[in-house]
Amino acid sequence: MSGLHADALATLGSWSAPEPDQERLRRRYVAHLRAHPDGASRSCRPDHLTASTLVVDADGDRVLLTLHAKAKRWFQLGGHCESGDHRLVDAATREAREESGLTGLVLDPVPVQLSEHEVPFCRPPDGTATDGRVVHHLDVRFLAVVAADAVPEVSEESLDVRWWPADALPDPEPELLDLVRLARARVVSRGTPGAD
C-alpha cells in the first residue's frame, strides 16, 4: 500500500479544510500517516484510514445512503482501503460501486469532509478478535454526482440502499448533515465533480 500511503499523505497534506475542526482532523490524519507506513491499512491498530463517498443527484437535492448491516444506521457509501487501491479516491470509488451497484461513478478527487469515529465491530482482515483497543476509522469523504434516475442495488454489506431528500435524511446526525451541506455547496459552486 505504499503508493496509496503516499497518495493519502499528498491528498491530505494539500487539502484546504473548510472549517477549524476539519483542519484539526487533517493535521491528525497527516501525523498518523507520517507515524504509520501502514496507516491506510485495516491492519494498522488502533487507527486506520478509510474512504467513503456521498453520492448526490445533479442538483444536490437527493443523496444516496446505505443502511449499514452491522451498524444498523444510514451512512454514505464507503469502507476499508485494499491493496489494489492506488489512490484514496480509488478506494472511495471502489467502495461506492460495490455498495451501490452503480457504474460510471466519477468522484471529485478533492475530499469534502474528514470524520474520526470509533468502530467497535471492526476486525483485522484475518477475522481474529481485536486486542481490546478501541478501533478508530479516520474516514476521508469524497463526492460523486450521478443522474437522478440512477437505480442502486443492495449489496451483501447493506440492508438497504436508497435515495433520500437532502433535507429529510433518515438518520440526521450532525456529522452526516454537515457532510450533505458541504457536498451540496460544492455541487452548486463547481458543478459536476472533476470538472474545473
Side-chain angles (χ1 to χ4, degrees):
M1 282 202 185
S2 61
L4 175 62
H5 182 274
D7 173 77
L9 195 52
T11 297
L12 294 166
S14 64
W15 184 58
S16 295
E19 296 159 354
D21 283 348
Q22 289 289 291
E23 174 59 20
R24 180 188 57 76
L25 282 176
R26 186 196 71 79
R27 288 194 307 266
R28 170 164 167 29
Y29 284 29
V30 168
H32 169 77
L33 289 168
R34 287 184 176 146
H36 302 279
D38 64 341
S41 170
R42 79 170 75 186
S43 63
C44 184
R45 298 292 168 153
D47 308 328
H48 51 264
L49 260 62
T50 55
S52 65
T53 304
L54 183 68
V55 177
V56 302
D57 68 7
D59 296 323
D61 293 334
R62 294 192 317 153
V63 300
L64 186 66
L65 299 177
T66 178
L67 183 56
H68 195 278
K70 291 180 181 175
K72 308 284 193 284
R73 293 181 57 200
W74 291 94
F75 296 119
Q76 73 283 349
L77 308 166
H80 289 103
C81 300
E82 294 182 3
S83 57
D85 299 323
H86 301 291
R87 301 176 307 153
L88 206 49
V89 72
D90 294 341
T93 302
R94 177 187 47 73
E95 284 287 339
R97 287 180 181 149
E98 288 174 359
E99 292 184 0
S100 71
L102 296 177
T103 58
L105 288 173
V106 178
L107 275 66
D108 184 333
V110 178
V112 175
Q113 183 192 51
L114 305 180
S115 170
E116 177 179 1
H117 48 274
E118 290 185 12
V119 187
F121 51 80
C122 185
R123 294 189 177 277
D126 63 6
T128 59
T130 63
D131 58 7
R133 293 183 290 176
V134 176
V135 173
H136 288 91
H137 282 177
L138 307 179
D139 197 36
V140 181
R141 297 172 171 181
F142 295 89
L143 169 67
V145 176
V146 298
D149 61 354
V151 179
E153 298 174 3
V154 178
S155 77
E156 59 189 39
E157 295 180 32
S158 304
L159 299 175
D160 195 2
V161 177
R162 79 171 71 154
W163 288 102
W164 292 91
D167 57 0
L169 301 178
D171 191 4
E173 59 92 18
E175 204 166 75
L176 181 59
L177 291 174
D178 241 12
L179 173 61
V180 170
R181 176 184 60 81
L182 291 166
R184 292 178 83 188
R186 185 171 298 176
V187 168
V188 168
S189 69
R190 290 191 181 179
T192 303
D196 290 323

